[in-house]
Amino acid sequence: MIVLLVALCFTDGALSQIHYSVPEEAEHGTLVGNIAEDLGLDLTKLASRRFQLVPSSRTPYLEVNLENGVLFVNEKIDREQICKQSSSCQLNMEVFLENPLELFRVEIEVVDINDNPPSFPETDLTVEISESATPGTRFPLESAFDPDVGSNALRTYDITTNNYFYLDVQTQTDGNKFAELVLEKPLDREQQAAHRYVLTAVDGGQPPRTGTALLVVKVLDSNDNVPVFEQPVYTVSLSENAPVGTLVIQLNATDLDEGLNGEIVYSFSNHISSHVKELFGIDPRTGRIEVRGEVDFEESSLYQIFIQAKDLGPNAVPAHCKVLVKVADMNDNAPEITFSTVTESVSEKAAPGTVIALLSLTDRDAEENGQIHVEILGDVPFKLKSSFRNYFTIVTDGFLNREQADSYSVTVVARDKGTPSLASSKSICVQVSDENDNVPTFSQSVYDVYVTENNVPGAYIHAVMALDPDIGQNALISYSILECDIQDMSVKTYVSINEETGYLYALRSFDYEQLKDFTFLVRAKDSGAPELSSNATVKVIIVDQNDNAPLVLAPLGKNGTAREPLPRSAEPGYLVTRVVAMDADDGENARLSYSIQRGNENGMFRLDWRTGELRTARRMSAKRDPHQQYDLVIEVRDHGQPPLSSSASVLVMVVDSMAEGRGVGDKVGASKAKDGALDLTLILIIALGSVSFIFLLVMIVLAVRCQKDKKLNIYTCLTSDCCPGCSSCCSRQGRSRNKKLSKADIMLVQSTVNVSGPGTAQVPVEESGSFGSHHQNQNYCYQVCLTPESAKTDLMFLKPCSPSRRPDTDHNPCGAIVSGYTDQQPDIISNGSILSNETKHQRTELSYLVERPRRVNSSAFQEADLVSSKDSGHGDSEQGDSDHDATNRGHSSE
């Protein structure tokens, strides 16, 4: 019969208890009960909730079907083998389910059946009794042993019916039965020396089982005095784990007889258990009882020792006493910690109170020695929570942060309250799994990247780096450039970034004269879910190189040579002309110095190396030929490394007067000899009138010309044949020239082409061959206006064909400082051919004149506006324009 008892005890840990009973000797497969049904569990969710046994509670005798919760007998149960003589035999199991965690304690009581008959240690029992023994004398008999318990245990003894003896069955304090043979009638050895009876032991089973032995009573001659103990029962206390040889008690019995009849021998009674004989020993002569084995309180707290004292005389009658040994508990067992289940890892975003592990505590000691205090060592974010009896759960005590600690060693210490206190500990390792809770962080919020102009397209320029304290995919960072415009072009046509390394590459060759700097945003994004990102600002600063030679702006003349008159009467320091030049570079690369390269061998002239003013160094000799000329070559050199230079040819013509000088300048020199004889006053009058007339004529011509230019929309941006944004500039808009590409015409186009396999990228790069040029064949749109008396002119005004337009960067996330026109577009490379406008470089060079007038090292360029005029004031003939262009090309060299 299987009995079910369910006791539900709900605690904070959602724990329950169920009780079954099963008879011993049940066959394999015998159904004990259905745990799931008895507890009201959903059978369909047992697998998903991982219904299972706690490993530490497994027993080979019982098994649970984890699919339907059936508890059945797995192996034949022998109660006597499992529980010995214990009155209660119980098997304990723990099962639990997850999600949520529920623990169930299953107690299975093994019910004893009457499967063992009582048995005597020997089949023949012999008792010696003196014939002088008086009626009522008791003689203890050896006890029978029945391994069954309870009602199936030994119940009584029986003896063959006779006239001399009867049995008195007595019960010990532990419930065991033993029989004493009581003399009912005096014996007479001469009539009968021995008596034989059948001694029967009967248990209480249904039906009862019996065991028999042959009892032989030998009648001896009398010894009329028996030993006597001081008291029938002795009670002593003994500490457990007492060492071998420890005195338990010193017994003393007396016998009034003398000689051998009064000499007493002590021994254990026949019915004492063999286990007691293993633990204790008695000295037969002295009656001293000592510890012989290991006394363990946890095994038994009380021992009964039955002692008999017998003299050595004939027909000795033994005397009996009982010694009760109470074992005092010692704190000799440390608490035991058993982990039933442990979670290998916990998410760093787990809520406080998340269960990490389930553990149980046991201590075999009693009372205070068995009371346990448990705690977690160290400063860890976990705590213990009591669940059921000595069961505890380890739960999180706050939020976790994997970036601060990716794992924890949780040490549980259990300590009892004994003296001295004993403790034990166990540790578990809890891994903290990562969550994407950290944004990638750049090492700098702003990166200043310096790139020298004329760089090679595709060159590495810098590297940005972001760090993410997460791990795995959550820390896998990819880089990208946020879309924005620079000079109306996508920033991705200027720079690119390696999405894995953060390396930045220039996609084109930068020109400082066109673009000073620009900014853009770089984004670092991790691969977590959800993705997190941050931005950093990259400011690319173009560093100037000395790649532009100085450009001579004045004086200008036909066929590359400027003609300047010099009066023969000029004083030392007379200003012959001013050499005006500019350099498109910046800083030291644009700081110019002037020097006379040749033609001044006799030291007639001196040139201010800073301002370019050419002055006479001494008086003109009167002996010189009136038509003497000085062919000077003036070099303009910048201070870059390496320095670049250009030269200008100035032909200084010595004249007797300024009027003659102007005639020479206009190629009308025939009248010079006729005017030589005029009176000096007349010459001055004529000169003053001529100057006034020519000045008026020039002003009229300029006014008419400017009016005409306005009507023709010279200053509008309609064509790119001359300069950026100009149309019909200087009446030469139709004369376009073939020229080489400048570095600004280079654009690196990135494309993905499958060559050796998918994902292989190639970046085609085409470079112009004009990177090393210094703008020797550039067509600049400007005019130089000189007053008629050029020898005393200190100012020159320069003006482009149309004003520049400033870029609108209000809504552009990229910032750029640009020289030139914002509508300028980079060339597009298609199949190796350049499809851009051929005059792009002309527009670029004009931008230098528009945006950087400060670079012209002359006081003439400190005015607010720039004005156009012809090179020598001889009209605007086609031939004059051609000479002007030739001068530009011939006087710009390294």
Side-chain angles (χ1 to χ4, degrees):
M1 176 182 294
I2 299 175
V3 180
L4 167 66
L5 176 62
V6 179
L8 298 178
C9 300
F10 292 95
T11 66
D12 293 340
L15 298 168
S16 300
Q17 179 174 320
I18 186 170
H19 183 87
Y20 295 98
S21 62
V22 59
E24 68 172 328
E25 306 295 332
E27 296 295 329
H28 172 75
T30 301
L31 176 65
V32 179
N34 192 310
I35 298 175
E37 290 182 355
D38 295 337
L39 292 174
L41 301 176
D42 188 353
L43 298 179
T44 61
K45 296 183 179 180
L46 293 182
S48 62
R49 295 185 61 187
R50 296 184 63 187
F51 178 74
Q52 57 185 300
L53 281 171
V54 175
S56 61
S57 67
R58 288 186 177 273
T59 175
Y61 302 104
L62 299 170
E63 189 60 55
V64 177
N65 188 324
L66 300 180
E67 296 180 357
N68 53 25
V70 171
L71 176 66
F72 59 92
V73 176
N74 185 50
E75 185 177 319
K76 187 176 180 180
I77 304 174
D78 189 348
R79 183 191 181 283
E80 290 72 34
Q81 181 180 358
I82 298 174
C83 301
K84 306 298 182 184
Q85 292 297 111
S86 176
S87 60
S88 175
C89 184
Q90 182 173 288
L91 298 177
N92 296 320
M93 301 175 67
E94 286 89 23
V95 296
F96 68 95
L97 295 90
E98 298 179 353
N99 302 321
L101 177 66
E102 292 184 289
L103 178 68
F104 304 97
R105 182 181 178 90
V106 181
E107 297 180 352
I108 302 95
E109 180 181 5
V110 180
V111 179
D112 182 51
I113 64 174
N114 193 22
D115 58 339
N116 293 284
S119 62
F120 290 93
E122 297 178 1
T123 57
D124 294 333
L125 302 177
T126 300
V127 178
E128 295 180 348
I129 301 176
S130 175
E131 64 178 350
S132 62
T134 60
T137 303
R138 296 173 176 268
F139 304 92
L141 302 178
E142 286 197 29
S143 298
F145 175 73
D146 191 342
D148 295 326
V149 297
S151 62
N152 296 324
L154 180 66
R155 183 177 59 86
T156 187
Y157 292 89
D158 196 8
I159 193 173
T160 306
T161 303
N162 61 88
N163 296 324
Y164 295 97
F165 302 97
Y166 68 91
L167 292 180
D168 184 11
V169 180
Q170 297 192 19
T171 303
Q172 301 180 12
T173 57
D174 58 0
N176 291 329
K177 306 284 187 177
F178 68 93
E180 290 183 341
L181 186 65
V182 182
L183 181 62
E184 189 176 17
K185 182 180 178 180
L187 299 176
D188 187 356
R189 191 192 66 81
E190 286 70 22
Q191 292 182 0
Q192 187 176 355
H195 299 266
R196 289 176 173 83
Y197 308 106
V198 175
L199 183 62
T200 303
V202 182
D203 63 20
Q206 294 297 329
R209 289 176 174 266
T210 61
T212 61
L214 178 61
L215 177 62
V216 178
V217 180
K218 291 182 178 182
V219 181
L220 304 176
D221 285 341
S222 65
N223 181 11
D224 54 347
N225 290 292
V226 298
V228 177
F229 286 100
E230 295 177 351
Q231 58 190 69
V233 177
Y234 296 88
T235 302
V236 297
S237 178
L238 178 67
S239 298
E240 71 168 326
N241 303 323
V244 176
T246 300
L247 175 65
V248 178
I249 190 172
Q250 176 69 58
L251 296 177
N252 185 30
T254 60
D255 193 324
L256 298 178
D257 294 328
E258 293 181 353
L260 293 177
N261 291 333
E263 189 175 342
I264 300 173
V265 176
Y266 299 90
S267 64
F268 291 121
S269 297
N270 293 331
H271 58 272
I272 194 172
S273 66
S274 59
H275 181 58
V276 172
K277 293 179 180 180
E278 293 176 355
L279 294 179
F280 304 98
I282 187 170
D283 189 319
R285 292 293 180 181
T286 62
R288 178 185 175 92
I289 300 177
E290 297 179 350
V291 175
R292 179 178 294 178
E294 182 179 352
V295 180
D296 190 356
F297 174 85
E298 288 71 39
E299 184 177 343
S300 178
S301 61
L302 178 67
Y303 293 95
Q304 298 183 78
I305 306 175
F306 293 92
I307 306 297
Q308 71 177 11
K310 185 177 181 181
D311 59 32
L312 297 179
N315 305 319
V317 177
H320 300 272
C321 73
K322 181 171 65 175
V323 178
L324 296 179
V325 180
K326 295 183 178 180
V327 180
D329 181 38
M330 301 295 292
N331 191 27
D332 58 343
N333 293 281
E336 296 180 1
I337 304 173
T338 303
F339 282 94
S340 301
T341 178
V342 177
T343 301
E344 294 181 357
S345 65
V346 60
S347 172
E348 63 175 327
K349 70 175 182 179
T354 301
V355 177
I356 303 301
L358 174 67
L359 59 92
S360 61
L361 304 175
T362 56
D363 194 321
R364 298 178 60 193
D365 294 321
E367 298 180 354
E368 288 189 354
N369 295 334
Q371 295 179 11
I372 304 173
H373 172 72
V374 62
E375 62 180 349
I376 295 178
L377 284 185
D379 185 14
V380 293
F382 301 98
K383 66 179 180 179
L384 286 168
K385 184 177 181 182
S386 179
S387 297
F388 175 71
R389 290 187 181 177
N390 287 333
Y391 283 88
F392 294 86
T393 54
I394 300 177
V395 298
T396 56
D397 188 22
F399 292 97
L400 306 178
N401 190 339
R402 191 208 62 80
E403 289 68 39
Q404 295 180 359
D406 58 359
S407 65
Y408 293 93
S409 179
V410 182
T411 301
V412 179
V413 177
R415 188 181 307 275
D416 61 29
K417 297 183 179 180
T419 303
S421 179
L422 299 180
S424 61
S425 63
K426 275 192 176 181
S427 299
I428 60 173
C429 184
V430 179
Q431 301 290 335
V432 181
S433 60
D434 185 46
E435 296 291 338
N436 192 27
D437 56 349
N438 289 279
V439 177
T441 304
F442 282 94
S443 58
Q444 301 174 222
S445 59
V446 178
Y447 291 86
D448 290 333
V449 180
Y450 293 88
V451 180
T452 304
E453 67 171 332
N454 303 323
N455 58 288
V456 178
Y460 164 86
I461 59 174
H462 200 65
V464 296
M465 181 179 67
L467 298 176
D468 194 322
D470 294 322
I471 59 174
Q473 288 294 114
N474 297 332
L476 185 60
I477 299 176
S478 60
Y479 300 89
S480 61
I481 297 176
L482 297 185
E483 185 62 52
C484 63
D485 290 339
I486 299 175
Q487 293 182 320
D488 296 332
M489 292 294 291
S490 172
V491 67
K492 295 182 180 179
T493 64
Y494 286 79
V495 291
S496 67
I497 191 169
N498 187 311
E499 65 176 12
E500 296 180 355
T501 62
Y503 290 173
L504 291 169
Y505 300 91
L507 296 183
R508 60 172 65 190
S509 181
F510 297 120
D511 190 349
Y512 176 84
E513 288 70 40
Q514 294 185 12
L515 185 63
K516 301 295 186 301
D517 60 45
F518 60 92
T519 60
F520 58 91
L521 294 179
V522 174
R523 170 166 293 175
K525 178 178 63 177
D526 60 29
S527 301
E531 296 177 342
L532 301 177
S533 63
S534 63
N535 299 335
T537 301
V538 178
K539 182 176 182 180
V540 178
I541 303 170
I542 312 301
V543 179
D544 184 40
Q545 276 190 329
N546 192 25
D547 58 346
N548 293 281
L551 176 65
V552 178
L553 303 178
L556 299 176
K558 296 180 179 180
N559 299 324
T561 301
R563 292 174 173 80
E564 296 293 340
L566 175 62
R568 189 178 299 277
S569 59
E571 297 292 331
Y574 177 83
L575 177 62
V576 180
T577 186
R578 184 189 300 274
V579 179
V580 179
M582 67 163 290
D583 195 316
D585 293 318
D586 197 8
E588 287 295 305
N589 296 330
R591 189 165 66 88
L592 304 179
S593 62
Y594 303 84
S595 63
I596 300 175
Q597 190 174 13
R598 59 182 174 85
N600 192 30
E601 289 77 7
N602 57 1
M604 181 63 191
F605 303 95
R606 58 180 175 85
L607 181 66
D608 191 311
W609 68 275
R610 290 172 296 183
T611 64
E613 294 179 347
L614 181 64
R615 297 180 182 271
T616 57
R618 55 184 176 81
R619 284 182 176 274
M620 182 66 63
S621 175
K623 298 180 180 180
R624 296 184 67 89
D625 183 58
H627 295 91
Q628 179 67 39
Q629 298 179 349
Y630 293 91
D631 190 3
L632 303 179
V633 176
I634 298 176
E635 181 186 56
V636 183
R637 181 181 297 271
D638 59 29
H639 287 73
Q641 291 297 328
L644 303 178
S645 64
S646 298
S647 61
S649 179
V650 179
L651 182 60
V652 181
M653 303 176 62
V654 180
V655 296
D656 291 331
S657 65
M658 286 306 298
E660 181 180 354
R662 287 192 297 275
V664 173
D666 295 332
K667 294 184 180 180
V668 185
S671 61
K672 180 180 64 173
K674 297 179 181 180
D675 296 336
L678 296 177
D679 184 74
L680 180 59
T681 303
L682 181 60
I683 293 175
L684 291 177
I685 294 174
I686 295 173
L688 181 59
S690 300
V691 169
S692 301
F693 175 80
I694 293 173
F695 179 78
L696 180 60
L697 181 61
V698 169
M699 294 301 293
I700 295 173
V701 171
L702 287 177
V704 173
R705 179 64 179 274
C706 291
Q707 185 67 24
K708 181 180 179 181
D709 289 343
K710 289 182 181 179
K711 294 180 179 180
L712 295 177
N713 295 325
I714 293 176
Y715 294 95
T716 60
C717 300
L718 301 176
T719 178
S720 62
D721 291 337
C722 180
C723 58
C726 300
S727 65
S728 304
C729 178
C730 305
S731 301
R732 295 189 301 274
Q733 67 274 20
R735 298 192 303 274
S736 61
R737 297 177 177 87
N738 295 327
K739 59 186 287 296
K740 294 182 179 180
L741 291 174
S742 71
K743 62 195 175 187
D745 298 327
I746 300 299
M747 173 180 176
L748 189 61
V749 181
Q750 182 172 352
S751 63
T752 302
V753 181
N754 290 332
V755 176
S756 59
T760 303
Q762 292 186 345
V763 181
V765 180
E766 294 205 11
E767 299 183 15
S768 171
S770 62
F771 282 160
S773 67
H774 299 284
H775 315 292
Q776 297 178 1
N777 299 320
Q778 298 162 352
N779 183 23
Y780 295 93
C781 184
Y782 64 86
Q783 292 179 349
V784 178
C785 300
L786 301 177
T787 63
E789 192 176 14
S790 60
K792 295 184 178 179
T793 299
D794 292 334
L795 299 177
M796 185 191 75
F797 301 90
L798 184 65
K799 188 171 185 180
C801 297
S802 66
S804 62
R805 295 175 295 169
R806 300 183 60 85
D808 183 10
T809 59
D810 294 341
H811 304 287
N812 189 357
C814 298
I817 297 179
V818 183
S819 296
Y821 292 89
T822 59
D823 58 3
Q824 178 179 351
Q825 301 293 328
D827 296 338
I828 299 176
I829 300 175
S830 176
N831 298 326
S833 300
I834 300 174
L835 305 179
S836 66
N837 195 324
E838 65 179 0
T839 61
K840 175 184 174 185
H841 197 63
Q842 296 175 355
R843 294 163 59 111
T844 302
E845 295 303 331
L846 180 59
S847 69
Y848 301 151
L849 303 180
V850 175
E851 297 293 339
R852 299 170 62 185
R854 66 183 180 280
R855 297 185 181 179
V856 181
N857 291 324
S858 173
S859 60
F861 287 83
Q862 297 178 1
E863 295 295 327
D865 293 324
L866 303 173
V867 186
S868 299
S869 70
K870 286 298 181 177
D871 54 353
S872 58
H874 292 292
D876 54 354
S877 64
E878 186 78 7
Q879 181 63 32
D881 293 340
S882 176
D883 293 342
H884 167 66
D885 294 339
T887 301
N888 284 342
R889 293 191 298 270
H891 287 76
S892 179
S893 62
E894 293 186 4

